[in-house]
Amino acid sequence: LQDGMILMRTLQYGTLALSGLNLGVSVAGFALMEKRLRGMQKQLDKIQDAIGKITTDRREDEIRSTLADILSDLRNIDSLHTRESPAGAAEALQIALDRHAGRLETHFRREADTADRKAMTLDHLERLWALAAAIRLCHEASLQALFIGNNLATVESNGLSLAEGHIALLEMVSPDALARLVARHDPTFHTKALEQAHLLSDGLRGGVESLVGQASIARTLMATGTSGLTYLREARDERARELLFLPA
């Protein structure tokens, strides 16, 4: 974990302690990932009418199309560990998922930019949360594909690089500033907006922890001579061993 902690301190996020429960690659089956993604889609559908700007129609279509592509790619990610030779498919899916995340990051940056905004609604905050959650899902699935392809050195480098990108998104999010913008639109929502903005900020921090943790796991696997595919297969199949959790 040393490299990960150095990265945190270098970027002035040393307080983001790496939790042991966040270090594992996400090995949840497709059913759980699909449920999360469909929840994001429903949330975006719910708030579209509330945002209601004609100029955003094309953007909404692009986001929906990207989420549909992500859903399709997640289905394939979920089946990779059962294939005899998954490396080729894993590489293609990893590249596609990184592209999806890049598109969503463009939307997130535009929505999170408060420089020229005079006010903001709670719906915009929920939209930011949905975009951030989808970006994190893409990143974790992308790294999972690299683990499956046994590209452990790339997992390590990409994990740290993606973590820096997540930190850049986090730096755009000021809970106080977002809450004030919502209060300008409706003062009665200030407290609720502040709570939601902190949830958004905490979620981005959690993404940093997860990405750095996966990079650390890749380094450990390389040091022990364990393949990424073997690691994921065993992690998915593990049902019996006890988990010991020692709180700090």
Side-chain angles (χ1 to χ4, degrees):
L1 301 182
Q2 184 177 2
D3 289 346
M5 295 308 295
I6 290 174
L7 172 66
M8 296 293 99
R9 287 195 292 270
T10 300
L11 297 174
Q12 297 181 346
Y13 281 91
T15 58
L16 299 182
L18 298 183
S19 166
L21 296 182
N22 281 331
L23 294 186
V25 175
S26 174
V27 293
F30 170 72
L32 179 57
M33 292 191 289
E34 180 182 28
K35 181 179 180 181
R36 290 176 180 173
L37 190 60
R38 291 196 182 281
M40 297 170 204
Q41 290 174 317
K42 289 180 180 179
Q43 189 67 10
L44 288 172
D45 288 340
K46 176 183 175 183
I47 66 178
Q48 181 186 15
D49 292 338
I51 294 176
K53 295 181 180 179
I54 295 177
T55 55
T56 65
D57 286 349
R58 188 175 63 181
R59 296 173 187 170
E60 296 297 327
D61 289 342
E62 181 181 341
I63 291 174
R64 284 190 176 83
S65 176
T66 299
L67 291 178
D69 288 341
I70 293 170
L71 188 61
S72 176
D73 288 342
L74 289 179
R75 288 195 182 99
N76 285 299
I77 287 284
D78 192 56
S79 69
L80 283 178
H81 71 287
T82 64
R83 303 184 186 187
E84 290 186 4
S85 302
E91 181 178 358
L93 287 168
Q94 177 261 320
I95 293 172
L97 285 161
D98 284 349
R99 286 174 179 166
H100 300 330
R103 293 191 187 100
L104 294 178
E105 285 176 13
T106 299
H107 290 285
F108 183 93
R109 291 177 182 277
R110 181 178 56 246
E111 295 292 336
D113 186 2
T114 60
D116 297 323
R117 288 188 183 273
K118 296 181 179 180
M120 182 180 288
T121 66
L122 280 176
D123 297 301
H124 279 93
L125 279 183
E126 292 183 14
R127 178 188 178 88
L128 281 172
W129 179 89
L131 289 171
I135 291 167
R136 177 173 175 176
L137 188 60
C138 283
H139 287 165
E140 292 188 349
S142 169
L143 292 183
Q144 189 171 140
L146 288 172
F147 271 102
I148 291 172
N150 203 37
N151 296 304
L152 298 179
T154 308
V155 173
E156 183 181 11
S157 60
N158 280 19
L160 296 177
S161 176
L162 292 174
E164 291 188 52
H166 237 61
I167 289 174
L169 297 182
L170 177 61
E171 289 175 338
M172 296 187 68
V173 175
S174 167
D176 289 336
L178 292 173
R180 285 197 296 270
L181 285 172
V182 173
R184 289 178 188 173
H185 180 266
D186 189 335
T188 63
F189 285 146
H190 179 268
T191 300
K192 186 174 182 180
L194 188 59
E195 292 174 354
Q196 291 190 5
H198 276 296
L199 285 174
L200 171 62
S201 180
D202 290 344
L204 288 168
R205 285 190 177 92
V208 174
E209 294 177 12
S210 175
L211 292 166
V212 173
Q214 293 188 43
S216 178
I217 284 180
R219 168 165 285 196
T220 299
L221 293 179
M222 284 190 288
T224 60
T226 305
S227 79
L229 181 58
T230 298
Y231 167 73
L232 277 180
R233 281 174 172 167
E234 291 185 358
R236 281 175 173 267
D237 293 339
E238 182 57 60
R239 294 292 185 273
R241 295 182 186 177
E242 296 180 354
L243 171 67
L244 176 62
F245 173 58
L246 300 176

